[in-house]
Amino acid sequence: MPSRIAGKTFGTVSADRQTEMSGLEFVRGLVDGTLPLNTIAETLGYDVTEVASGRVVVTAEPSGIHLNPAGTVHGGLAATLLDSCMGLAVQSTLEKGVGQTTLEFKISLVRPITPETGPIKAEGVVLSRGRRIGTAEGRITDQQGRLLAHGTTTCLVFQS
């Protein structure tokens, strides 16, 4: 079981509560712990650690719970971190009463991730945000700044 993240709770934020906040306010709440992280963050042991409009950082420390049968970290962890940081980056640009959801994303795994890799950082940055579509790119790096995986996403932007 992943360790608890200090100062964070896990759950969901009601749709009504979400519509009361801008996207940036929502993601700031995830970062500062005033809003709960989603339960997949608890399951996989990741945290939302930084936000600025159009940019979000998600961090994790790979461990034995993340391994695939070959003994490396399952690509699903990288996919989840990238989907989260890219989608939240788009979210951080939205006005009150506007939501977003992932339409599609693509990732490339360029270097193996193992428990020995140590802490990793997934950074998502918005490329374009229109009325109906937002796109973002993401990069996962290790503490030495080496690229481990990268991806792009397309999100549907909608009135909540």
Side-chain angles (χ1 to χ4, degrees):
M1 196 68 157
S3 62
R4 288 257 179 225
I5 299 168
K8 300 290 176 104
T9 60
F10 301 91
T12 57
V13 179
S14 73
D16 288 344
R17 177 81 200 280
Q18 286 185 46
T19 61
E20 297 170 357
M21 297 176 274
S22 70
L24 185 57
E25 290 169 329
F26 176 80
V27 183
R28 280 186 181 144
L30 301 177
V31 171
D32 68 21
T34 57
L35 294 175
L37 294 173
N38 56 20
T39 54
I40 193 69
E42 181 178 28
T43 300
L44 295 178
Y46 69 85
D47 193 7
V48 182
T49 57
E50 294 177 43
V51 62
S53 182
R55 179 183 171 273
V56 170
V57 173
V58 175
T59 57
E61 186 155 357
S63 70
I65 67 162
H66 300 116
L67 299 181
N68 63 27
T72 58
V73 171
H74 193 284
L77 178 65
T80 301
L81 296 178
L82 287 167
D83 187 35
S84 296
C85 74
M86 295 185 298
L88 288 173
V90 172
Q91 182 80 28
S92 74
T93 68
L94 302 180
E95 301 80 22
K96 287 182 182 180
V98 181
Q100 63 83 30
T101 190
T102 302
L103 286 176
E104 63 88 29
F105 71 99
K106 180 200 181 301
I107 68 166
S108 296
L109 307 167
V110 297
R111 181 174 266 129
I113 302 171
T114 69
E116 291 73 34
T117 301
I120 57 176
K121 174 173 90 169
E123 180 177 3
V125 178
V126 171
L127 298 171
S128 173
R129 216 283 274 167
R131 252 183 41 248
R132 300 281 300 164
I133 297 292
T135 61
E137 63 184 0
R139 298 170 46 91
I140 298 177
T141 54
D142 65 13
Q143 287 187 302
Q144 290 73 44
R146 290 180 294 211
L147 183 66
L148 305 173
H150 60 91
T152 56
T153 192
T154 302
C155 297
L156 175 66
V157 176
F158 57 89
Q159 292 295 105
S160 299

